[in-house]
Amino acid sequence: MSRVQTIEVAKGDADQRLDRWFRRQFPHISHGVVEKLCRKGEIRVDGGRVKANTRLQPGQSVRVPPLPDDVIEPPANAKVRITDADAAMMRNLVIYRDDHVIALNKPPGLPTQGGTGQTRHIDGLADALCFGLDEKPRLVHRLDKDTSGVLLMARTRAAASKLTASFRHRNTRKIYWGAVAGVPQPRMGTIKYGLVKAPGHGKGGEGEKMHCIHPAEVDATEGAKRATTDYSVLSGLGGRVSWVAMVPVTGRTHQLRAHMAELGHPIIGDGKYGGSGQENLGDGWGAQLGGEISRKLHLHSRSLTLEHPFTGATLNLTAPLPEHMKRTWDTLGWHERDVPADPFEEPEF
């Protein structure tokens, strides 16, 4: 076992999440272990209890509890072995790169970072994306494991700090595409249900999900947070399924999935919120369409628009659909060229 350590947060680590900071100091400690140590109060900042998503500031002192020797070895500067196949896969995901940022088209099924039972993930394979720099790219936001699409990473600490601030202050615009059960009415609207996490039933908390709370009850519900989603129906197929664009105005866990299910139109393939065994009869429910339609989650981060952290130029990043969604779109006769890039923009006359 190592001894208790106190590490001062460096200037270059300003505004970084505690869990990400901790993983960079001790890369072989899993994300799940970091969260557990925070819950138990063993990781502290300036002597106080903190959550894994706490933002760090320069000069703060982080208490690091004793860690098993076999967890912190090899040393923190050692790189995880990445196979040639994984390195090639990661490089093929790149849809944009410059000296400061990299954008990937994250495939469904590959986690953004480690957690319980997750050993292969974007963060752990990011050494394949150094492209001549001495440090690997840093995550500045996340996508769920089964969600595909635009994922932005920072190539330097300075870029990470600026990009993290952009996401936190909502100076970015993310548009998701999804196939949902039924056709939402009205065809364009805003969902404002709050969200609160309900614990899972597994030994490690598996099965956690977000429950929707009426806006009027959010302030009185412990742990609930306000959440807002804009949606627009782009195309419908009878009353059975529709192509929907969604903008997460806030960025809560599982927000789009929970909100669409609460609306009565769960995302196709969503076994957690839509009920994987429910048959879709065209009444606006049932997460499976059957036939040739894949049972995978049909949720894709289609585009991300933001101001470049250093040049100030507007970056418009777009990710092609994953294969299972391409097949669904072909089967249903939906074509990308038939819809606007941003259906929420006011038309110009």
Side-chain angles (χ1 to χ4, degrees):
M1 296 286 287
S2 66
R3 57 181 175 78
V4 173
Q5 303 176 61
T6 300
I7 303 177
E8 183 174 310
V9 179
K11 184 176 181 180
D13 290 327
D15 212 32
Q16 190 172 168
R17 282 173 53 128
L18 172 64
D19 51 359
R20 292 172 187 165
W21 176 90
F22 200 95
R23 291 294 309 282
R24 294 192 182 282
Q25 303 295 320
F26 307 99
H28 298 284
I29 297 288
S30 72
H31 178 73
V33 169
V34 175
E35 289 196 328
K36 181 177 180 181
L37 291 173
C38 287
R39 288 196 300 269
K40 294 172 66 177
E42 294 187 35
I43 296 177
R44 292 178 176 254
V45 175
D46 288 343
R49 297 176 72 103
V50 287
K51 295 183 178 180
N53 63 357
T54 297
R55 300 281 175 182
L56 298 175
Q57 299 302 322
Q60 289 184 317
S61 296
V62 180
R63 178 193 185 274
V64 178
L67 302 170
D69 294 334
D70 59 347
V71 173
I72 63 173
E73 294 180 355
N77 61 358
K79 291 188 176 182
V80 177
R81 168 78 174 116
I82 300 176
T83 66
D84 291 342
D86 273 343
M89 179 274 296
M90 288 292 288
R91 290 169 186 148
N92 286 335
L93 299 180
V94 176
I95 55 177
Y96 176 84
R97 171 167 66 96
D98 63 25
D99 292 340
H100 306 285
V101 301
I102 286 181
L104 309 180
N105 183 8
K106 188 189 90 65
L110 182 63
T112 302
Q113 62 185 142
T116 304
Q118 304 292 349
T119 58
R120 182 174 178 269
H121 45 81
I122 294 289
D123 191 38
L125 298 173
D127 279 312
L129 303 176
C130 290
F131 294 110
L133 295 187
D134 293 332
E135 51 188 328
K136 73 175 187 179
R138 294 166 164 79
L139 294 168
V140 293
H141 69 126
R142 297 178 61 184
L143 293 177
D144 290 346
K145 175 184 175 182
D146 294 320
T147 302
S148 58
V150 181
L151 180 70
L152 198 67
M153 304 184 78
R155 300 193 70 192
T156 64
R157 288 188 178 186
S161 178
K162 289 177 178 290
L163 290 171
T164 298
S166 291
F167 279 95
R168 191 172 71 255
H169 297 307
R170 302 176 190 170
N171 295 328
T172 60
R173 183 164 180 79
K174 293 179 281 187
I175 297 179
Y176 287 72
W177 280 359
V180 308
V183 180
Q185 297 294 334
R187 293 174 70 93
M188 179 178 284
T190 299
I191 307 168
K192 293 188 176 181
Y193 282 98
L195 294 170
V196 63
K197 182 180 291 186
H201 302 293
K203 182 178 180 181
E206 297 87 353
E208 284 184 343
K209 63 187 298 185
M210 307 303 291
H211 282 192
C212 287
I213 304 294
H214 191 279
E217 300 173 359
V218 172
D219 292 340
T221 303
E222 184 178 357
K225 296 181 179 180
R226 296 192 178 277
T228 302
T229 299
D230 293 332
Y231 74 89
S232 176
V233 176
L234 302 180
S235 183
L237 187 66
R240 194 172 184 211
V241 62
S242 55
W243 173 5
V244 173
M246 294 159 278
V247 171
V249 179
T250 52
R252 310 301 184 197
T253 300
H254 295 177
Q255 176 178 316
L256 301 180
R257 297 165 63 184
H259 270 177
M260 294 311 298
E262 184 69 18
L263 201 64
H265 301 280
I267 296 170
I268 299 302
D270 193 348
K272 180 182 286 284
Y273 293 94
S276 58
Q278 292 178 337
E279 184 182 3
N280 183 306
L281 300 175
D283 56 357
W285 195 252
Q288 303 299 336
L289 293 179
E292 298 297 318
I293 305 301
S294 170
R295 296 175 65 88
K296 293 181 179 179
L297 183 70
H298 284 61
L299 181 60
H300 178 70
S301 177
R302 172 62 174 178
S303 66
L304 173 62
T305 302
L306 73 158
E307 182 179 290
H308 192 282
F310 292 97
T311 69
T314 299
L315 287 180
N316 292 298
L317 306 169
T318 302
L321 289 170
E323 288 301 319
H324 75 282
M325 290 182 68
K326 284 183 184 176
R327 292 193 298 270
T328 297
W329 262 234
D330 289 342
T331 299
L332 301 178
W334 294 340
H335 303 286
E336 299 175 17
R337 64 178 180 271
D338 294 337
V339 300
D342 188 342
F344 302 93
E345 286 185 335
E346 292 290 336
E348 295 183 2
F349 297 99

